[in-house]
């Protein structure tokens, strides 16, 4: 979907693909207002090669974002960001790689009441965005495919973000890699709050 602005997708089943739905933004369309995914199911998404120097790592997700200019300069108030408002509500997965890859370039990422389970690599990634929350979600048994680095429920590199009222359970260590964690805090996390969550049986 190129330069989607004020776009809503409701009740879709997306699967048997290398990638689900990718949002791409050209620089002339930065500050697009919102995209919403409601009650969508993502399944059987196999992935495309992500890292040439590490075999077995794939860009595999139900939803992803892409930018024409990766050196955008968005500010803390939401100005200059490619997309202002990515809403994911009531969505589910089964073997989708992950629910979200990215969402780089998003100011305001809001995921509510999703059940994210049985994905090959991660539950979801929240990477390269600012402001928002994950609320009332379940991340369960992700990391089902063999991979040379660790799986996790939520991978994040985000600012001004909260994870709340969420369950993260059953994430596996892959081979000798030390991950398999509930949340993987990558470089660049600032002002992140975790509240009223349950972490159980993660490696």
């Amino acid at each position: 979907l190129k330069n989607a602005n004020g776009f809503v997708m409701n009740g879709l089943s997306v699967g048997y693909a290398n990638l689900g739905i990718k949002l791409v933004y050209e620089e002339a369309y930065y500050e697009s207002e919102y995209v919403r995914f409601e009650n969508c199911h993502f399944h059987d998404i196999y992935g495309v090669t992500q890292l040439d120097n590490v075999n077995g790592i794939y860009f595999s997700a139900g939803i992803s974002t892409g930018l024409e200019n990766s050196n955008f300069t968005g500010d803390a108030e939401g100005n200059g960001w490619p997309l202002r408002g990515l809403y994911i509500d009531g969505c589910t997965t089964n073997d989708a790689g992950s629910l979200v890859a990215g969402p780089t370039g998003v100011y305001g990422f809001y995921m509510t009441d999703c059940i994210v389970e049985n994905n090959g690599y991660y539950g979801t990634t929240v990477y390269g965005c600012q402001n928002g929350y994950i609320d009332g979600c379940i991340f369960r048994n992700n990391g089902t495919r063999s991979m040379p680095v660790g799986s996790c429920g939520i991978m994040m590199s985000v600012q001004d973000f909260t994870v709340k009222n969420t369950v993260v359970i059953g994430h596996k260590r892959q081979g000798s890699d030390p991950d398999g964690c509930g949340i993987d805090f990558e470089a660049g996390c600032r002002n992140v709050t975790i509240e009223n969550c349950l972490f159980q049986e993660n490696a």
Side-chain angles (χ1 to χ4, degrees):
L1 293 174
K2 201 166 189 179
N3 304 317
N5 187 346
F7 207 94
V8 179
M9 283 152 282
N10 190 306
L12 298 179
S13 177
V14 179
Y16 304 109
N18 284 333
L19 194 60
I21 296 175
K22 185 174 184 179
L23 306 172
V24 178
Y25 289 91
E26 300 169 294
E27 193 167 2
Y29 293 88
Y30 281 10
E31 299 188 8
S32 290
E33 279 307 317
Y34 67 86
V35 174
R36 295 179 180 272
F37 293 88
E38 301 171 348
N39 308 307
C40 295
H41 180 58
F42 299 93
H43 61 95
D44 300 284
I45 297 174
Y46 312 118
V48 293
T49 300
Q50 181 180 15
L51 298 175
D52 292 335
N53 60 326
V54 181
N55 292 326
I57 301 299
Y58 295 95
F59 190 76
S60 177
I63 303 165
S64 68
T65 58
L67 309 177
E68 180 189 67
N69 174 16
S70 60
N71 295 316
F72 70 94
T73 54
D75 65 21
E77 283 71 48
N79 301 305
W81 289 78
L83 177 62
R84 297 190 294 198
L86 178 57
Y87 299 84
I88 304 172
D89 182 49
C91 293
T92 57
T93 67
N94 186 65
D95 201 19
S98 59
L99 176 54
V100 177
T104 301
V106 171
Y107 181 89
F109 176 86
Y110 308 101
M111 180 187 295
T112 55
D113 301 322
C114 295
I115 299 176
V116 183
E117 58 187 347
N118 304 324
N119 292 319
Y121 303 113
Y122 311 107
T124 199
T125 67
V126 189
Y127 213 97
C129 60
Q130 184 170 342
N131 192 37
Y133 55 76
I134 294 172
D135 185 10
C137 295
I138 297 172
F139 296 89
R140 181 169 48 213
N141 298 337
N142 299 290
T144 59
R145 300 179 198 169
S146 177
M147 58 190 293
V149 298
S151 175
C152 61
I154 305 169
M155 177 183 283
M156 60 171 56
S157 174
V158 66
Q159 298 184 43
D160 305 324
F161 199 82
T162 301
V163 180
K164 55 188 176 181
N165 310 316
T166 287
V167 175
V168 186
I169 184 170
H171 295 93
K172 304 175 181 66
R173 183 174 294 165
Q174 294 285 355
S176 60
D177 192 274
D179 287 349
C181 50
I183 295 179
D184 183 351
F185 294 95
E186 293 284 321
C189 286
R190 303 283 187 276
N191 192 27
V192 175
T193 301
I194 312 297
E195 61 184 25
N196 196 36
C197 294
L198 172 65
F199 298 88
Q200 182 174 325
E201 298 173 18
N202 300 297

